[in-house]
Amino acid sequence: MAKKRAREADGAAEAADKMVEDGDSSDDDDFDMVNVDFEWFNFDPEIDFHGTKSLLRQLFDVDAALFDVSALADLILSQGTIGSTVKVDGKETDAYAFLTALNLQEHRDKKPIVELTQYITEKAKTNESLAAIPNLLASGNHVGLVLSERLINMPSEISPPMYSMLIDEIEAAVEDKEPYEFSHYLIISKTYHEIESTLDVEERKRKKGKQDATLFYFHPEDEVLQKYAAAYGNYAFTKIDEAIADSKRAFHEMGVMPRGSMILIEASKFADAAKAISDYLSPPS
């Protein structure tokens, strides 16, 4: 996968192979196949504002209303050589996915980071597993906030190239004396568990106390990242009670309850974690 300087010269780095999504079918003779070429681009403020903002809203779910998401998108776009967007119809289109890292200490006085740091600190205090995070954020250490999101139907195989390029880009930036020498990386993500639908109130009452608390990952790579974590855990969204709607689970007997997720990784282990993601998710050759 191309490094930052190659991507700056060429404009984009294409995956070595086409990623193929197969349509499910019970009949072997009725088999649909879709070939999609994914392309990786640097952030472009002239093109990527709305796509980045939309994906940020998806990442923070109902709690996106607590932040100035537009200002956060602008901050991400301002560091064009750190992070990637993934597109399928050329550079001029909206991103289907993105990954980036922001220096929380470097941007500590900017409104979106003030809001986000306060939010992260408050949420970390609700889960004992995340107890180390508030002190770390208050310590003055340079923590890299990793933000990543993609459309729901995007294949997880796009994740390894994004992480590999992010590491290359940060290494190049550090060589150029830019402020990306982190002590830790803090990944913000989402998980979910299934809950009983509220469509049938009487049925819910009969099954009260039988909710399935099995944890699921919107991003499969998070399960790999946790193996390298100094701390990780989930938290409840602040505004979740205002947004639960049966329309989101009309086609399921069970509903979905999303939760926020944090994964804290020491910088010295981040490259190994990214390699593990590649080993786990890269498509077979």
Side-chain angles (χ1 to χ4, degrees), residues 202-220:
E202 293 304 317
E203 183 69 9
R204 185 179 76 252
K205 289 179 179 178
R206 288 196 296 270
K207 293 182 178 180
K208 188 176 181 181
K210 295 183 179 179
Q211 291 188 353
D212 183 357
T214 302
L215 187 68
F216 298 92
Y217 298 87
F218 284 105
H219 299 166

Side-chain angles (χ1 to χ4, degrees), residues 115-172:
E115 294 174 341
L116 201 48
T117 301
Q118 181 180 357
Y119 176 82
I120 291 170
T121 299
E122 290 175 355
K123 292 302 181 182
K125 289 179 179 178
T126 67
N127 186 338
E128 188 175 344
S129 299
L130 301 172
I133 292 175
N135 289 336
L136 176 64
L137 297 184
S139 69
N141 283 10
H142 287 251
V143 176
L145 180 68
V146 177
L147 300 175
S148 175
E149 187 57 292
R150 52 185 179 262
L151 297 184
I152 297 298
N153 60 347
M154 287 287 282
S156 57
E157 287 84 356
I158 68 167
S159 179
M162 287 198 293
Y163 272 95
S164 295
M165 284 189 286
L166 180 65
I167 288 173
D168 289 341
E169 290 161 350
I170 288 175
E171 288 178 352

Side-chain angles (χ1 to χ4, degrees), residues 25-273:
S25 174
S26 58
D27 185 350
D28 291 340
D29 294 329
D30 183 18
F31 188 82
D32 295 327
M33 182 178 292
V34 179
N35 292 331
V36 180
D37 287 328
F38 294 104
E39 297 177 292
W40 282 257
F41 295 92
N42 290 338
F43 288 99
D44 187 331
E46 299 299 320
I47 298 169
D48 293 321
F49 173 77
H50 292 292
T52 302
K53 180 179 176 180
S54 178
L55 289 169
L56 285 170
R57 287 189 179 279
Q58 179 178 303
L59 173 63
F60 289 105
D61 207 279
V62 294
D63 281 359
L66 301 174
F67 314 117
D68 186 343
V69 179
S70 294
L72 182 58
D74 282 334
L75 182 58
I76 291 171
L77 298 179
S78 72
Q79 47 177 45
T81 58
I82 298 295
S84 304
T85 62
V86 180
K87 304 181 180 183
V88 298
D89 294 316
K91 182 178 179 180
E92 302 300 319
T93 59
D94 283 341
Y96 282 36
F98 82 91
L99 172 71
T100 194
L102 295 169
N103 188 329
L104 292 179
Q105 178 66 15
E106 182 73 13
H107 300 299
R108 64 189 180 277
D109 295 327
K110 296 177 181 176
K111 179 184 176 184
I113 298 303
V114 171
E115 294 174 341
L116 201 48
T117 301
Q118 181 180 357
Y119 176 82
I120 291 170
T121 299
E122 290 175 355
K123 292 302 181 182
K125 289 179 179 178
T126 67
N127 186 338
E128 188 175 344
S129 299
L130 301 172
I133 292 175
N135 289 336
L136 176 64
L137 297 184
S139 69
N141 283 10
H142 287 251
V143 176
L145 180 68
V146 177
L147 300 175
S148 175
E149 187 57 292
R150 52 185 179 262
L151 297 184
I152 297 298
N153 60 347
M154 287 287 282
S156 57
E157 287 84 356
I158 68 167
S159 179
M162 287 198 293
Y163 272 95
S164 295
M165 284 189 286
L166 180 65
I167 288 173
D168 289 341
E169 290 161 350
I170 288 175
E171 288 178 352
V174 171
E175 290 176 3
D176 292 340
K177 310 300 182 183
E178 297 176 21
Y180 294 97
E181 191 164 2
F182 301 123
S183 66
H184 296 77
Y185 290 87
L186 178 60
I187 299 102
I188 302 296
S189 192
K190 284 199 307 184
T191 60
Y192 68 94
H193 62 267
E194 294 177 340
I195 61 172
E196 293 178 54
S197 173
T198 59
L199 288 173
D200 188 331
V201 177
E202 293 304 317
E203 183 69 9
R204 185 179 76 252
K205 289 179 179 178
R206 288 196 296 270
K207 293 182 178 180
K208 188 176 181 181
K210 295 183 179 179
Q211 291 188 353
D212 183 357
T214 302
L215 187 68
F216 298 92
Y217 298 87
F218 284 105
H219 299 166
E221 63 270 22
D222 290 351
E223 194 168 7
V224 177
L225 291 170
Q226 288 178 1
K227 296 178 181 179
Y228 294 82
Y232 67 88
N234 302 304
Y235 59 89
F237 288 121
T238 301
K239 300 178 75 67
I240 191 65
D241 290 338
E242 301 175 22
I244 295 176
D246 285 318
S247 60
K248 291 185 177 181
R249 46 186 182 254
F251 297 101
H252 299 275
E253 180 182 351
M254 303 295 286
V256 169
M257 177 65 74
R259 293 174 64 83
S261 169
M262 299 185 205
I263 306 171
L264 181 68
I265 300 178
E266 295 176 2
S268 61
K269 298 180 179 179
F270 193 61
D272 288 340

